């Protein structure tokens, strides 16, 4: 049997320049040196280090499967080394996402976010990696649904007989820590009922049903780590990542990108407490600005070749996405005009930074009954 390849994307915000804007180049260099060492030690096969705004992104290939302690430890130690540099440079929020001091075998639940897929590489294995800043894992629900469930986005669902069989969605309830599997197209309306509530129900993985890719092999995987739940308070948004495999019975890369052609609304933005549009960007605009946003998404495309990464292609660095960026800027303007009013500001229970308990305390005893 062919040797399997694992693609792991593990990310953390360990400090940034000029507030929550951008990762410092020295952190990128430090992470590269750390992963280069991991290659020479035979822990990983190949890597690509980048950032999405203030989030440091480690893209790694290896032969060890998902949730491997050695891989997670490598990521954790790399983030720790980068935190040291961030402290030296007095970067903002140095070590922000490393919520514990001691590493315990897996980064999940410790602050960093991770998405991993183990696969038997197809003869040509195109993948897209999407990395968002200033939003939360459920932000992927809409575009992932459109890629794998919406024939108005992915023509292959109608045209390609393999895609006709549909896809299976693994949905996590991140509040009660349960999961459910729903098949599209027949359970599409049930699926949408859940994933429309994107703060609670998030798509974790997608599986193909045609058999062109083994049915137990994920064709998409998202990070679902929720920082506020881990820390018990707001420490930063859970800026998520996704891995999406393309072509040959899966959505074509162009269909995967089509899902980003208009700027849908997500929650996050300033102080993790506002709704706003996602702006897709290439590396040149890969940092947030206005009101710490608007939320951004960077997309990189690779081919996997015997567990090496061939690429990347800067997927949104294209004039075809200018209208989406322009519309996002216009929507940002429109949303901003609401100031502290919902639905720009998130509903009370979703607010990450909230002064409500202090305010309640301050005005305690002043509330009078009315009928
Ligand atoms: P595949 O079926 O080989 O993925 O080709 C489809 C395609 O790329 C059309 O856009
Ligand atoms: P990050 O989650 O990207 O660190 O942003 C936090 C924030 O509060 C921005 O206003
Ligand atoms: Mg930050
Ligand atoms: Mg961030």
């Amino acid at each position: 049997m062919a040797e399997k390849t694992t693609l792991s994307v593990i990310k953390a915000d360990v400090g940034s320049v000029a507030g929550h804007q951008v990762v410092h180049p020295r952190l990128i260099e430090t992470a590269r040196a750390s992963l280069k060492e991991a290659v020479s030690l035979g822990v990983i096969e190949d890597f690509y280090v980048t950032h999405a705004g203030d989030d440091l992104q480690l893209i790694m290939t290896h032969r060890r499967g998902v949730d491997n302690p050695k891989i997670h430890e490598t990521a954790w130690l790399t983030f720790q080394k980068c935190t040291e540099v961030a402290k030296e440079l007095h970067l903002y929020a140095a070590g922000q996402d490393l919520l514990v001091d001691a590493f315990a075998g897996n980064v999940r639940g410790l602050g960093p976010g991770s998405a991993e897929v183990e696969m038997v590489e197809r003869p040509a294995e195109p993948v897209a990696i999407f990395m968002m800043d200033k939003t939360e894992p459920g932000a992927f629900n809409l575009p992932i649904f459109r890629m794998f469930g919406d024939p108005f986005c992915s023509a292959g669902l109608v045209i390609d007989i393999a895609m006709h069989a549909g896809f299976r969605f693994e949905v996590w309830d991140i509040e009660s820590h349960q999961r459910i599997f729903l098949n599209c197209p027949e359970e599409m309306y049930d699926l949408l009922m859940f994933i429309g509530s994107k703060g609670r129900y998030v798509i974790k993985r997608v599986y193909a049903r045609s058999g062109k890719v083994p049915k137990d092999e994920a064709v998409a995987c998202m990070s679902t780590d929720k920082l506020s739940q881990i820390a018990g308070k707001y420490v930063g948004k859970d800026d998520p990542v996704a891995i999406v495999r393309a072509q040959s019975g899966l959505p074509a890369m162009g269909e995967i990108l089509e899902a980003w052609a208009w700027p849908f609304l997500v929650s996050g933005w300033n102080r993790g407490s506002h709704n706003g549009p996602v702006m897709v960007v290439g590396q040149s605009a890969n940092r947030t600005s206005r009101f710490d946003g608007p939320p951004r998404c960077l997309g990189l495309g690779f081919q996997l070749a015997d567990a090496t990464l061939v690429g990347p292609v800067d997927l949104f660095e294209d004039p075809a996405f200018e209208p989406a960026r322009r519309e996002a800027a216009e929507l940002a303007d429109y949303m901003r005009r609401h100031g502290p009013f919902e639905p720009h500001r998130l509903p009370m229970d979703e607010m990450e930074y909230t002064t409500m308990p202090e305010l309640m305390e301050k005005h305690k005893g002043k509330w009078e009954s009315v009928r």
Side-chain angles (χ1 to χ4, degrees):
M1 221 182 77
E3 200 175 5
K4 287 188 178 179
T5 298
T6 306
L7 176 59
S8 297
V9 184
I10 306 187
K11 48 87 34 184
D13 178 345
V14 292
S16 44
V17 185
H20 288 286
Q21 291 221 333
V22 72
V23 171
H24 191 279
R26 270 197 56 206
L27 268 56
I28 306 261
E29 284 164 27
T30 306
R32 277 191 191 131
S34 172
L35 295 189
K36 210 169 162 189
E37 195 187 327
V39 171
S40 65
L41 293 171
V43 176
I44 58 173
E45 298 291 318
D46 199 5
F47 68 88
Y48 188 82
V49 176
T50 188
H51 70 99
D54 63 358
D55 293 276
L56 181 61
Q57 308 279 345
L58 312 180
I59 301 169
M60 300 173 285
T61 51
H62 55 93
R63 303 291 193 184
R64 295 166 184 263
V66 303
D67 277 336
N68 179 273
K70 196 77 202 150
I71 298 300
H72 282 238
E73 184 187 33
T74 300
W76 182 262
L77 293 176
T78 302
F79 291 139
Q80 279 192 327
K81 288 179 202 164
C82 294
T83 299
E84 288 313 308
V85 178
K87 284 183 177 159
E88 199 185 297
L89 296 174
H90 293 220
L91 297 188
Y92 189 68
Q96 173 178 287
D97 289 356
L98 306 190
L99 302 179
V100 295
D101 293 328
F103 176 73
N106 194 302
V107 296
R108 286 194 291 117
L110 305 186
S114 63
E116 301 184 279
V117 175
E118 185 182 36
M119 66 188 94
V120 176
E121 276 180 35
R122 297 169 293 167
E125 186 62 63
V127 295
I129 296 170
F130 295 106
M131 295 155 270
M132 296 218 234
D133 188 28
K134 307 294 184 271
T135 184
E136 62 178 5
F140 276 118
N141 282 6
L142 189 150
I144 293 290
F145 171 75
R146 293 196 65 222
M147 293 167 202
F148 292 96
D150 178 5
F152 283 76
C153 175
S154 291
L157 291 166
V158 177
I159 293 170
D160 178 349
I161 203 68
M163 283 179 69
H164 233 80
F167 293 89
R168 184 171 171 78
F169 291 75
E170 177 182 337
V171 177
W172 284 18
D173 174 345
I174 55 176
E175 274 175 29
S176 71
H177 304 281
Q178 301 187 83
R179 68 176 178 182
I180 189 171
F181 291 86
L182 293 165
N183 289 325
C184 266
E186 63 271 32
E187 293 175 302
M188 179 191 293
Y189 300 154
D190 302 5
L191 173 72
L192 286 168
M193 191 62 208
F194 289 112
I195 64 171
S197 292
K198 59 188 173 38
R200 174 158 184 182
Y201 300 99
V202 299
I203 304 173
K204 177 66 190 176
R205 293 184 190 88
V206 180
Y207 302 88
R209 298 171 72 196
S210 69
K212 273 196 100 173
V213 172
K215 288 185 177 170
D216 59 350
E217 229 181 56
V219 296
C221 180
M222 278 54 68
S223 63
T224 47
D225 312 81
K226 195 134 176 83
L227 280 175
S228 57
Q229 279 198 347
I230 301 164
K233 61 176 174 34
Y234 180 84
V235 280
K237 260 294 170 197
D238 324 296
D239 307 325
V241 290
I243 296 171
V244 184
R245 299 166 68 188
Q247 306 288 158
S248 312
L250 307 180
M253 188 57 83
E255 292 166 340
I256 288 165
L257 296 181
E258 179 65 16
W260 304 90
W262 59 272
F264 49 93
L265 296 174
V266 298
S267 55
W269 206 347
N270 183 261
R271 296 169 192 274
S273 303
H274 296 84
N275 283 310
V278 169
M279 185 181 272
V280 292
V281 288
Q283 291 281 20
S284 61
N286 178 14
R287 65 176 173 81
T288 54
S289 61
R290 182 180 180 186
F291 204 53
D292 283 354
R296 305 285 156 126
C297 184
L298 173 74
L300 295 182
F302 294 92
Q303 292 288 139
L304 299 184
D306 297 324
T308 62
L309 291 158
V310 178
V313 174
D314 194 351
L315 296 169
F316 294 127
E317 190 67 74
D318 186 280
F321 285 102
E322 285 307 336
R325 287 192 265 273
R326 202 165 44 243
E327 197 181 343
E330 282 162 12
L331 285 171
D333 228 7
Y334 175 80
M335 296 301 282
R336 277 303 300 128
R337 273 182 239 162
H338 295 80
F341 284 81
E342 298 175 7
H344 177 34
R345 196 179 76 183
L346 296 187
M348 197 58 76
D349 59 336
E350 287 177 43
M351 292 268 288
E352 301 264 357
Y353 271 132
T354 167
T355 50
M356 205 53 166
E358 281 99 333
L359 274 187
M360 280 300 192
E361 188 57 33
K362 180 177 165 198
H363 295 288
K364 201 171 66 182
K366 288 203 266 174
W367 289 88
E368 298 171 8
S369 301
V370 280
R371 269 206 262 189

